[in-house]
Amino acid sequence: MPRPAEYENLIKIKAFEEVLPTTGAVKGFLDNAKNYLEACELLPEEKTLQIFTMAYEGYFQIVQAILEHHGVRTKDADAQAMVSILKKYLPVAMVLTGLFHKT
């Protein structure tokens, strides 16, 4: 199956990098998604935050599987990059929502 044109455009602007798919990775990501779903179904209904978080992570595993299937990966998606993004945008969100005022 050819890679979608949108992916080619994201490679061109360097948001994605083209890679050779890792053997077994797609199955691993989908197995992870299934495990997250199974964990969601074991939690009591009132644990909505935990259920949502696990479901979100499961969906992320599906996204990773599809990217891997098409031979692309996101660039710089490591833990430190995410921490940096969180540090930058949490104060912005607090100001935007009125929960924190800049001095």
Side-chain angles (χ1 to χ4, degrees):
M1 171 192 294
R3 185 168 34 224
E6 294 85 2
Y7 287 19
E8 296 299 336
N9 291 334
L10 290 166
I11 291 168
K12 286 178 188 172
I13 65 168
K14 301 189 185 309
F16 282 175
E17 60 185 345
E18 189 169 16
V19 297
L20 291 175
T22 302
T23 303
V26 171
K27 181 181 182 323
F29 286 126
L30 294 178
D31 286 346
N32 290 343
K34 182 181 173 199
N35 291 337
Y36 277 115
L37 177 58
E38 289 171 357
C40 288
E41 292 172 340
L42 292 174
L43 287 170
E45 238 178 69
E46 63 273 8
K47 297 289 187 181
T48 55
L49 175 61
Q50 293 85 351
I51 292 169
F52 179 86
T53 301
M54 283 195 204
Y56 187 92
E57 290 298 329
Y59 184 75
F60 179 72
Q61 294 298 305
I62 291 171
V63 170
Q64 293 298 97
I66 299 303
L67 292 176
E68 185 75 17
H69 173 74
H70 287 297
V72 294
R73 291 200 187 118
T74 55
K75 295 184 80 173
D76 299 324
D78 64 11
Q80 279 312 113
M82 293 308 295
V83 169
S84 176
I85 291 167
L86 182 58
K87 282 181 180 177
K88 180 176 181 179
Y89 289 104
L90 182 57
V92 173
M94 293 186 74
V95 169
L96 179 69
T97 59
L99 295 177
F100 174 80
H101 299 286
K102 282 189 171 181
T103 55

